[in-house]
Amino acid sequence: MYSEKVMDHFMNPRNVGEIENADGVGQVGNVKCGDIMKMYLKIEDDVIVDVKFKTFGCGSAIATSSIATEMIKGKTIQDALKLTNRAVVEALDGLPAQKVHCSVLAEQAVKSALFDYAQKRNIVLEGLEDFNPDEDHHDHEEEHE
């Protein structure tokens, strides 16, 4: 059973699309589960002034992407780095256990876009020192639940 918030973000996703000349772009997911998320960030003075996403996947993947964009828009980079999959699940009033991996992907998509931003500027963001955008995050779901 899906919460009203999950259904709302699935049926009316926020911030869908692309940002031309984005400051950071991150893509996560794999063909194994079928969920692929791409996140675009526009950053000014260390603040995320715009964020868009494109997600190929199930309703939960779309809903978690949508809510994650709302949760980081207008936030500083450091605040966005604190986004957790648990916070995404809570913001959606819960997800079925078999769909928690979608919230992990949403968290990782944000981090991947911030990692790209840092790479483009040749800077290191605290919290992303050991981040690997090519890692399969499905292998680490248990750590996030």
Side-chain angles (χ1 to χ4, degrees):
M1 184 75 174
Y2 293 102
S3 72
E4 285 183 32
K5 281 189 180 178
V6 171
M7 293 305 296
D8 181 39
H9 278 272
F10 167 62
M11 300 298 284
N12 307 292
R14 283 66 146 179
N15 304 308
V16 176
E18 296 178 34
I19 297 174
E20 277 192 46
N21 303 315
D23 296 309
V25 180
Q27 181 171 310
V28 296
N30 67 34
V31 291
K32 190 168 61 177
C33 79
D35 297 318
I36 299 171
M37 296 180 184
K38 193 165 189 177
M39 194 83 56
Y40 303 82
L41 302 176
K42 191 71 174 167
I43 299 172
E44 295 174 9
D45 299 321
D46 287 338
V47 174
I48 299 168
V49 295
D50 198 10
V51 54
K52 302 270 188 229
F53 79 93
K54 283 190 164 184
T55 293
F56 177 83
C58 66
S60 294
I62 293 166
T64 57
S65 299
S66 174
I67 196 97
T69 63
E70 286 197 323
M71 293 172 78
I72 66 167
K73 192 172 187 176
K75 303 282 190 220
T76 65
I77 290 170
Q78 285 306 313
D79 283 343
L81 282 169
K82 295 175 188 168
L83 180 74
T84 64
N85 79 297
R86 184 166 296 165
V88 170
V89 170
E90 288 173 6
L92 288 170
D93 294 335
L95 281 173
Q98 68 272 25
K99 295 297 183 178
V100 169
H101 72 275
C102 294
S103 66
V104 174
L105 287 175
E107 173 189 342
Q108 297 305 315
V110 169
K111 288 182 176 172
S112 182
L114 288 168
F115 183 81
D116 180 59
Y117 169 79
Q119 293 288 103
K120 288 176 178 174
R121 278 148 191 80
N122 202 24
I123 59 173
V124 176
L125 293 176
E126 188 178 331
L128 289 183
E129 299 90 352
D130 298 322
F131 184 77
N132 179 356
D134 299 321
E135 186 178 334
D136 182 357
H137 303 287
H138 286 79
D139 295 339
H140 304 291
E141 279 178 47
E142 317 80 50
E143 299 171 13
H144 297 276
E145 290 183 34

